[in-house]
Amino acid sequence: MNTTQPKSPQLEQTRLLRTAVPGPTSVALHAERMQQVTTGFGVALPVFIERAEGGILQDVDGNRIIDLVSGIAVTSVGASNPAVQARVAEQLSRFTHTCFMVTEYVGFTEVCAWLNAHTPGDFDKRTALFSTGAEAVENAIKIARSATGRSKVLVFDDAYHGRSLLTMAMTAKENPYKKGFGPFPSEVYRAPMAAPFRWPSGAQNATAEALAAVETLLAERGAHTFAAMVVEPIQGEGGFIVPAPGFLQGLQQLAARHGIVFVVDEIQAGMGRTGRLFASEHEGIVGDITVTAKAIGGGLPLSAVTGRTELMNAVHTGGLGGTYAGNPLACAAALGVFEAFEDGTLLANARLIETTARRMLEPLLEQTATVADVRGHGAMIAIEFADRGTLAPRADLAKEVVARCHEQGVLVLACGTHGNVIRLLPPLVIGLDLLEDGLGVLCAAVAQAEAFALSETVPA
Ligand SMILES: *Cc1c(COP(=O)(O)O)cnc(C)c1O
C-alpha cells in the first residue's frame, strides 16, 4: 500500500500566542481535571491540545506551541503522519482487536518481520510484541531468565526502564519514580554508567574505570548468576547521557564472555531519533535482545522485544503474551511509521536537527555561566546546567528556563538524576525555521534566567 501521497500541513507551522500560556480555556479544563483525575499524574505544561501536526501543538485557546518533546520521543514521524493515519483508518474499518493469542492477523507478523530485519545483529531473530515499554523490558528479563536459567539483572546508574515493579527496581532515580512504592523485586544490581561529563577522575578515564567496576561487581556477585545486562545506548530520563566511547562495546564483550544476555533498551533513543535507525549503531553494539517502544507505534501503544531466535524461542509456548499485545491498530500504525522512514528523509532530518541545535546551543557554553554541557545525537540533544568548576547541578535554572519557554509557547522538558538537564526531542518532521524559532526562545530564556538568578542572590 502506498500511502505517502504528499499532503500539505493543515496546521500552520508557525508559533502563535493568542492568550497567555496556559490560556483561559486550558485553565478551566485543568481545574475540572483536578476534580476528576488523580494527582498522582503530574503535567509538564497544563495546556489542552486540540490538534497536532508537524512541529506544532495547537491548544484549545488557539495558541500554536512549538513541540520540542514529541510526547516524549513518540511522535517522531509527526502526530498526524499521513502514512500512519491511512493505515490505522484502513485497519479500523475492518476490526479493532482479536487478541493475537486467540486468532491471528498479518499486521503482527509484518511488524515482527520489519524489526527482525532492521534491528542491529546479523543473526536469525524472532520478535514478541507488547503494548508499553515497561512491559517489553519485563518480558526481555523473563526471556533472558528462561533461556539462561539464571536470575540476576545488571543495570546502571541513571538508568530508566519504566514504572512497573520490576522496571522501577531497574530504574535508578527514587523521586518521583520509586518513592513509597517498594518493596521491589530482588536480584537487580546497579553498576556505574560511564558518564563522561560527571566522571570523577575525568571523561578520559570513564570507560576503563566504569568497566573495571562492572567486572568487580560481576566477580563479587558471581558472573554466572546473571541472566541479563540491560543498558540504554543513550540514557533518556537519566539526563541524555551519551556513554563514553567504548563503554557499550566493553559491556557487550563482558556479557558475551560470561554468557549474560546483553539487552539494549532502545525505547527512547531508537527508531530514527538519533539520526540512525537505532542508537546502538553509533557505537557499533549489537544486543542479543533489542527492546523498542515509543516511536515505533507512531502514537499508538506498541512495544517489542527482538532477539536471537534461540533466546526468544527458549520460553515455553504460552509463556508470553498479553490481551492487547501487538494490537491490530498499533501494528497498522507501526507499519505506517516504517513506511515513513523508508526513503531516508527522516533520518537526514534528525541529523539536520542536530546541526541546527548545536549551532545555536554550543555558543551558550561560552556565553553563559551555567550551561556546562551540550550533548546528544541527532534529534536527541540536551543542555546541562551546572556551576563552572564545581559542576554543582543547577536544577533551579533548568526549571526557570523551562517555565520561560512554556510562557513563550515553546514546549521543552527537564530530565536528569539532578533535574538540571533540558532535553530536546522534536518531531523529525519539524521545519527548520520553526526549530530555529524555538531554539531562539530557549537561548533567550537561558540568558534571562541567569540574570534573574543573579538578581535573586546578589543583594542590590
Ligand atoms: C519510556 C521508557 C521506558 C518505559 O516505557 P513505557 O512505555 O513508558 O512503559 C523504558 N525505557 C526507556 C529507555 C524509556 O525511555
Side-chain angles (χ1 to χ4, degrees):
M1 175 172 44
N2 180 19
T3 49
T4 45
Q5 66 273 68
K7 174 188 158 221
S8 51
Q10 292 173 0
L11 199 51
E12 198 183 320
Q13 296 293 301
T14 54
R15 180 167 60 106
L16 175 68
L17 298 180
R18 296 178 85 156
T19 68
V21 177
T25 316
S26 278
V27 169
L29 290 170
H30 184 73
E32 175 64 14
R33 160 207 152 126
M34 295 308 284
Q35 297 303 310
Q36 307 299 342
V37 182
T38 165
T39 53
F41 273 70
V43 62
L45 174 60
V47 146
F48 284 73
I49 300 305
E50 203 167 63
R51 293 182 59 187
E53 182 174 6
I56 290 290
L57 302 166
Q58 180 169 283
D59 74 12
V60 288
D61 289 290
N63 299 302
R64 290 200 300 267
I65 295 166
I66 300 181
D67 180 11
L68 301 183
V69 176
S70 304
I72 317 190
V74 169
T75 54
S76 297
V77 301
S80 304
N81 185 285
V84 173
Q85 287 178 327
R87 285 177 181 267
V88 173
E90 189 277 334
Q91 177 61 49
L92 185 60
S93 73
R94 291 189 294 119
F95 61 93
T96 56
H97 176 83
T98 69
C99 188
F100 195 71
M101 301 176 299
V102 178
T103 57
E104 300 167 307
Y105 40 93
V106 294
F108 195 112
T109 313
E110 287 171 358
V111 170
C112 294
W114 192 93
L115 289 167
N116 292 339
H118 291 86
T119 50
D122 198 10
F123 40 73
D124 202 40
K125 295 174 205 150
R126 294 291 186 275
T127 290
L129 300 181
F130 302 96
S131 303
T132 69
E135 201 187 358
V137 172
E138 290 230 1
N139 276 282
I141 302 302
K142 283 166 65 173
I143 292 162
R145 284 179 172 171
S146 181
T148 60
R150 307 169 176 186
S151 60
K152 287 180 185 147
V153 176
L154 183 66
V155 293
F156 295 88
D157 284 337
D158 303 300
Y160 182 83
H161 297 294
R163 292 176 183 266
S164 64
L165 268 174
L166 177 57
T167 57
M168 270 194 287
M170 295 168 67
T171 290
K173 193 175 177 179
E174 172 79 2
N175 190 8
Y177 306 121
K178 305 164 77 160
K179 193 169 81 176
F181 296 144
F184 300 111
S186 57
E187 304 294 67
V188 176
Y189 297 85
R190 194 173 307 282
M193 161 56 59
F197 180 66
R198 291 193 172 274
W199 195 259
S201 63
Q204 72 284 0
N205 300 320
T207 295
E209 291 179 14
L211 285 174
V214 174
E215 287 201 71
T216 303
L217 188 150
L218 289 175
E220 283 174 0
R221 303 288 176 178
H224 63 284
T225 61
F226 280 82
M229 181 188 289
V230 187
V231 69
E232 296 157 85
I234 298 178
Q235 292 184 312
E237 307 302 305
F240 277 33
I241 296 166
V242 183
F247 179 66
L248 295 170
Q249 288 241 353
L251 290 182
Q252 185 181 327
Q253 284 158 13
L254 278 175
R257 190 188 312 153
H258 297 295
I260 301 168
V261 178
F262 186 52
V263 180
V264 182
D265 179 347
E266 288 262 10
I267 290 173
Q268 190 156 161
M271 205 59 234
R273 175 53 47 192
T274 66
R276 306 281 191 97
L277 265 185
F278 296 96
S280 296
E281 296 167 29
H282 292 285
E283 282 279 307
I285 56 162
V286 176
D288 298 309
I289 288 177
T290 298
V291 183
T292 51
K294 291 200 164 101
I296 65 164
L300 276 77
L302 187 71
S303 62
V305 180
T306 303
R308 294 179 183 276
T309 299
E310 62 272 26
L311 298 174
M312 299 298 296
N313 285 352
V315 182
H316 54 282
T317 298
L320 302 178
T323 305
Y324 293 113
N327 167 270
L329 295 170
C331 287
L335 294 172
V337 169
F338 302 154
E339 182 186 328
F341 272 96
E342 234 158 53
D343 70 2
T345 309
L346 290 177
L347 293 180
N349 284 2
R351 297 191 285 264
L352 277 177
I353 289 168
E354 173 170 1
T355 308
T356 305
R358 285 193 180 276
R359 173 168 51 76
M360 293 186 70
L361 297 175
E362 281 174 351
L364 297 176
L365 294 167
E366 261 91 65
Q367 292 163 3
T368 71
T370 55
V371 173
D373 198 21
V374 176
R375 58 175 178 257
H377 279 303
M380 186 172 185
I381 299 281
I383 56 179
E384 174 157 357
F385 291 86
D387 287 329
R388 292 274 184 278
T390 65
L391 297 189
R394 293 296 301 271
D396 59 324
L397 279 169
K399 202 173 161 203
E400 182 68 26
V401 171
V402 167
R404 285 170 188 267
C405 288
H406 289 181
E407 267 171 29
Q408 294 300 311
V410 178
L411 184 62
V412 293
L413 279 188
C415 67
T417 299
H418 307 287
N420 65 326
V421 177
I422 292 181
R423 56 171 147 177
L424 305 177
L425 292 162
L428 306 183
V429 292
I430 193 170
L432 287 185
D433 288 356
L434 200 59
L435 178 67
E436 284 181 4
D437 182 23
L439 292 169
V441 168
L442 173 62
C443 292
V446 174
Q448 290 158 8
E450 279 198 352
F452 176 75
L454 266 176
S455 74
E456 294 258 284
T457 52
V458 183

